[in-house]
Amino acid sequence: MAGAKIRLCVDHPLGPGQSLPLTEAQAHYLFGVMRIGVGTALLVFNGRDGEWRAMVTAAGKRGGVLACEEQTRPQLAAPDLWLLFAPVKKARTDFIVEKAVELGAARLIPVQSDFTNAERIRPDKAAAHVREAAEQCETTFLPEVAALTPLPRLLSGWDPARRILWADESAARASGGATSPAALFASLAPGAWAILIGPEGGFSDKERAHLRSLPFVVPISLGPRILRAETAALALMTLWQAHLGDWR
Ligand code: SAM
């Protein structure tokens, strides 16, 4: 079926016969970049109603219309993993957002820590990266990107039933060595989790002391080398998925 591999994230509800008007950007992508036209089938999803096959019924430079035909996959929930991350430089933050979608995070919360540069995250741009990554990785789930939240406020209102795996770079330097990730994960139960990654400058001493005092925070070392924030996010989400998530 020509065009069926194109996946487009849309806002409208999806159902049999549902008409889906396209934005100018979507029309440009489908008809200008992908060079498809009326009569071509493609896949659409909106993060709520699963994935559907749709047909192009009108195509123009500034818009177009798709007709929803039949569901190709049901809506699936993401594993119960949130990613709390301090925004870093733009391209690296984009990378974190993209990989978080691919690795199945259910919610992304940019965190303002003592050493975070707060101007580095644009929630609208981050949401656009989420959509692009979801189109590409064939998920039907669209994680929400929350507003930048100061770390103390996030922690004071935190539901302790959701435990936080805190990537603690100081554990990597601890004399005598920290518990290995494999041993640590063997002691943890599946359920509601979040992963916390710091900025380029790491966490301040005050933040470390605060995090250590909280019973729902589990510090983890990611080995003897200091990783860039985006590497740490990728590594820890991978470990979580393999031990507690939907790769098991
Ligand atoms: N400048 C900081 C320092 O030298 O301590 C390093 C910060 S690191 C670039 C960014 C974040 O990645 C850290 O705050 C931590 O969350 C995570 N991270 C990096 N390497 C890690 C490691 N070996 N173990 C645990 N977390 C690590």
Side-chain angles (χ1 to χ4, degrees), residues 167-169 172-173 197-203 220 222-223 225-227 232:
D168 177 12
E169 68 269 18
R173 300 194 183 98
I197 307 289
E200 291 100 331
F203 293 99
I220 182 168
L222 297 172
R225 289 166 296 278
I226 299 299
L227 310 174

Side-chain angles (χ1 to χ4, degrees), residues 10 31 122 124-125 143 161 227:
V10 297
F31 313 133
R122 287 261 314 267
D124 54 333
K125 298 261 182 209
L227 310 174

Side-chain angles (χ1 to χ4, degrees), residues 122-183:
R122 287 261 314 267
D124 54 333
K125 298 261 182 209
H129 283 297
V130 164
R131 293 165 71 100
E132 267 172 40
E135 284 173 350
Q136 179 272 130
C137 77
E138 300 192 11
T139 182
T140 52
F141 188 83
L142 286 176
E144 176 213 354
V145 185
L148 184 75
T149 309
L151 185 60
R153 195 199 306 156
L154 189 68
L155 295 174
S156 68
W158 194 259
D159 172 3
R162 179 177 298 278
R163 303 182 74 195
I164 298 178
L165 258 179
W166 164 37
D168 177 12
E169 68 269 18
S170 67
R173 300 194 183 98
S175 59
T179 313
S180 75

Side-chain angles (χ1 to χ4, degrees), residues 1-8 36 40-44 51-54 72 138:
M1 187 180 8
K5 279 289 176 196
I6 296 175
R7 291 183 93 239
L8 191 69
I36 64 169
T40 306
L42 66 154
L43 299 170
V44 294
E51 181 190 79
W52 288 68
R53 195 179 68 218
T72 47
E138 300 192 11

